[in-house]
Amino acid sequence: MLKNVFVLALIVVLTLPGCTMEKKEKEQGYTARDELLGTEIIINIKNSKEAPGACDDIFERIKQIQGKMTVHNIESEIAILNANAGVKKVSLSQDTYNVLQEALTLSSLTGGAFDPTVGPLVKLWGFDSKNFGVPTDKEIQDKLNLVDYRQLQIEKSRDTFMAMLPRDGQAVDLGGIAKGYAGDEAKRILLSHGIKQGIINLGGNIVAVGTKEGGSAWRVGIQNPLAPRGTFLGILQLKDKAVVTSGGYERYFYENGNRYHHIIDPQTGFPSESDLLSVTIIANQSLMSDALSTGVFVMGLYKGLELMEELEGVEAIFVTRDKKVFITSGIRDIFQLIDGDFSYEQYK
Amino acid sequence: MTVILVMNNINKWITGGLIVLAGLSFIVLYIYQGSQDHGQPVLVIYKNGALYQKLNLTKDLHKEFNVTSGGHFNTIEIKGKAVRIKEADCPRKICVHTGWLHKPGQIAVCMPNRLKISIEGRSDNVDDISF
């Protein structure tokens, strides 16, 4: 009799996986997408009553950010700031002020490798429009003189926020940071709706909110910079982190057989020619990941790695032109290299 | 005595039946997961942000066709289980330079023409990709 009870119990336990499988099937996720900030934004959260409203609020908020910070609309705050360069101070919303302030902090942290006043060069190369082309050296020198984040003045007093570009022709471009800010705002809105888990993809910038159902880490693939989009060279396991990857493979054009990518080095005026194919930054804030991925890509491997090891709470993955992968010490246990074409290297 | 014997026999039948049921449930589970894991790769085309076409990719599928939108075009070429955007009238041709897609999860995007193609099906287990 005892034996029979044991067998029965065993059978019950063995058949359990069948039941849990069905349950998993029913727990469908909720996905929302939209095209904003020049890219595709995809939100993946658990299906709930709150889900559609939260996603609508997020897209509405990102539209608002886009309206304030884009250079493609002459009525945006940044366009007005640029139009008044060398003329006068302009007033800003707190949003734009905050982003400019963060941008200046990160500019000085990267020694100007990230610089929001790179606008004139971005325009000259045509990366803000479809009229791209290689400028002459003279043109580059002229615009290079206008690029210097230390000249951008911002000030606040009580509830007024102002900024000014002191010289005619200077221009701010928040292309390397606005998406990051939007990611942080998207996360804040999810949490304010009581949604504590989800993953938001803003054109490749990933904001992993909380954990997966059941508490395990999100698995985020890191793009192989030499293969089509969607091919990853390794996997990061993350809880509550923002990941941004920058590389010359994202946007570029060809002229006379040469390839020119969109990450302009604010010190040379040319697309950055570092030893890197891509940099991935993992931080708590998506804004920080976004700006640092651009800045550190421009800084190159050695300077970049040193800065990343120094900074608290920030980790990085570097992929070099000779297919070596360097990672900071804090992610040894959560990053897994899976593409055999690439190999780990230690930097001393 | 006879009563106990009958009981034992009934128990045997019940136990046997339950073992068979358990076995069946495992077989069903195995087949179910198997069918998901080896799902055929599917080419999915999105136009203007919305699903436009789905095509099962089979070994001997050879095909070339245009997707047009707002007076612009992208030529899609399929060779067996590989797909690429062969030509396009967009300015930078990033979609063309992406080259052949041959694994589930891979994507080619033409932002100016608002076209996206991807191979869907079983891919390695990640929740998202940072690019």
Side-chain angles (χ1 to χ4, degrees):
Chain A
M1 204 48 199
L2 254 178
K3 203 174 121 195
N4 282 342
V5 170
F6 175 73
V7 169
L8 259 175
L10 194 69
I11 288 164
V12 169
V13 169
L14 284 177
T15 39
L16 273 179
C19 308
T20 51
M21 268 299 294
E22 267 178 48
K23 201 177 156 205
K24 242 188 204 166
E25 267 291 296
K26 278 177 193 160
E27 268 175 20
Q28 280 190 342
Y30 182 85
T31 303
R33 62 183 78 217
D34 203 345
E35 281 172 36
L36 291 165
L37 297 170
T39 194
E40 187 180 25
I41 297 172
I42 304 167
I43 306 166
N44 270 303
I45 48 181
K46 210 175 97 177
N47 207 355
S48 72
K49 258 197 293 180
E50 288 283 331
C55 292
D56 288 349
D57 285 358
I58 289 172
F59 291 136
E60 208 42 55
R61 177 73 176 117
I62 297 177
K63 254 177 230 161
Q64 210 180 48
I65 293 169
Q66 174 176 275
K68 289 173 179 179
M69 302 182 199
T70 179
V71 291
H72 298 293
N73 176 356
I74 53 164
E75 284 169 22
S76 82
E77 291 174 25
I78 293 300
I80 292 168
L81 171 68
N82 293 345
N84 286 291
V87 181
K88 62 173 185 187
K89 276 199 275 194
V90 301
S91 67
L92 304 172
S93 63
Q94 188 170 2
D95 263 340
T96 307
Y97 175 85
N98 287 347
V99 173
L100 285 179
Q101 190 184 35
E102 295 278 2
L104 290 179
T105 307
L106 292 163
S107 297
S108 82
L109 194 68
T110 57
F114 169 78
D115 190 326
T117 67
V118 77
L121 288 167
V122 175
K123 208 182 285 176
L124 182 65
W125 283 88
F127 280 109
D128 65 331
S129 60
K130 287 175 186 171
N131 307 318
F132 46 83
V134 182
T136 65
D137 284 355
K138 167 92 175 52
E139 286 173 312
I140 288 175
Q141 278 314 312
D142 287 349
K143 299 296 180 196
L144 210 46
N145 284 328
L146 297 167
V147 177
D148 185 354
Y149 68 93
R150 285 162 299 197
Q151 294 180 18
L152 169 63
Q153 301 153 13
I154 58 168
E155 59 185 63
K156 79 168 172 183
S157 54
R158 283 182 169 263
D159 351 301
T160 54
F161 304 92
M162 311 282 278
M164 179 167 178
L165 288 162
R167 291 158 58 205
D168 182 34
Q170 286 186 312
V172 163
D173 188 309
L174 296 179
I177 196 166
K179 254 200 293 176
Y181 183 62
D184 290 326
E185 283 298 287
K187 177 179 173 178
R188 188 183 60 74
I189 292 167
L190 274 192
L191 294 176
S192 77
H193 280 262
I195 299 168
K196 296 190 180 75
Q197 293 167 314
I199 198 154
I200 307 158
N201 184 335
L202 302 97
N205 289 13
I206 305 295
V207 183
V209 182
T211 62
K212 282 171 47 158
E213 275 299 292
S216 61
W218 293 102
R219 294 167 62 86
V220 177
I222 303 303
Q223 175 68 34
N224 172 344
L226 299 172
R229 187 183 288 180
T231 321
F232 47 90
L233 58 78
I235 300 172
L236 261 174
Q237 303 212 37
L238 297 172
K239 296 178 180 177
D240 233 354
K241 293 281 174 194
V243 187
V244 178
T245 302
S246 279
Y249 61 87
E250 294 165 280
R251 268 186 287 152
Y252 53 83
F253 67 87
Y254 282 92
E255 192 170 301
N256 299 324
N258 293 317
R259 184 167 148 159
Y260 299 91
H261 65 76
H262 76 295
I263 304 176
I264 308 286
D265 183 338
Q267 259 108 54
T268 66
F270 279 86
S272 159
E273 284 196 45
S274 75
D275 40 7
L276 297 171
L277 288 175
S278 74
V279 173
T280 299
I281 306 286
I282 302 106
N284 292 325
Q285 257 189 308
S286 156
L287 176 141
M288 192 166 201
S289 297
D290 201 9
L292 282 179
S293 69
T294 307
V296 170
F297 181 79
V298 169
M299 288 170 88
L301 177 65
Y302 296 111
K303 276 189 182 170
L305 244 173
E306 265 172 22
L307 178 64
M308 290 301 96
E309 287 288 18
E310 261 172 48
L311 270 185
E312 198 80 16
V314 180
E315 304 295 337
I317 301 165
F318 298 78
V319 183
T320 66
R321 286 178 195 268
D322 51 356
K323 298 187 182 177
K324 301 273 195 281
V325 176
F326 294 75
I327 63 173
T328 50
S329 47
I331 51 169
R332 278 192 197 128
D333 296 336
I334 56 165
F335 179 69
Q336 197 190 349
L337 183 64
I338 56 167
D339 188 323
D341 266 4
F342 295 83
S343 57
Y344 270 131
E345 196 82 2
Q346 283 270 358
Y347 166 63
K348 289 160 228 106
Chain B
M1 263 313 265
T2 44
V3 172
I4 290 169
L5 265 179
V6 170
M7 272 292 286
N8 271 345
N9 271 337
I10 289 172
N11 273 343
K12 267 182 198 154
W13 279 108
I14 291 173
T15 312
L18 283 175
I19 286 172
V20 168
L21 272 178
L24 270 176
S25 91
F26 266 95
I27 289 165
V28 168
L29 189 67
Y30 180 78
I31 291 169
Y32 175 74
Q33 284 184 326
S35 71
Q36 279 201 322
D37 281 1
H38 304 291
Q40 203 175 20
V42 182
L43 165 66
V44 186
I45 304 171
Y46 298 90
K47 199 168 100 173
N48 299 322
L51 179 67
Y52 172 68
Q53 196 181 354
K54 278 189 177 190
L55 263 167
N56 285 332
L57 295 175
T58 52
K59 234 189 238 163
D60 34 60
L61 185 64
H62 287 251
K63 204 171 162 151
E64 205 177 297
F65 56 96
N66 280 350
V67 177
T68 53
S69 165
H72 292 283
F73 77 94
N74 296 73
T75 308
I76 294 172
E77 185 183 6
I78 302 174
K79 255 191 191 165
K81 294 190 176 183
V83 187
R84 67 168 172 170
I85 297 179
K86 191 184 180 186
E87 279 169 57
D89 62 351
C90 54
R92 278 177 269 183
K93 311 237 183 305
I94 285 178
C95 56
V96 177
H97 293 306
T98 300
W100 290 98
L101 312 181
H102 51 87
K103 278 196 270 189
Q106 292 182 326
I107 296 170
V109 182
C110 183
M111 280 303 277
N113 295 357
R114 306 194 64 216
L115 179 94
K116 176 169 117 176
I117 65 169
S118 73
I119 299 183
E120 295 178 8
R122 192 193 72 84
S123 70
D124 292 282
N125 185 21
V126 290
D127 300 303
D128 217 327
I129 294 181
S130 169
F131 53 83

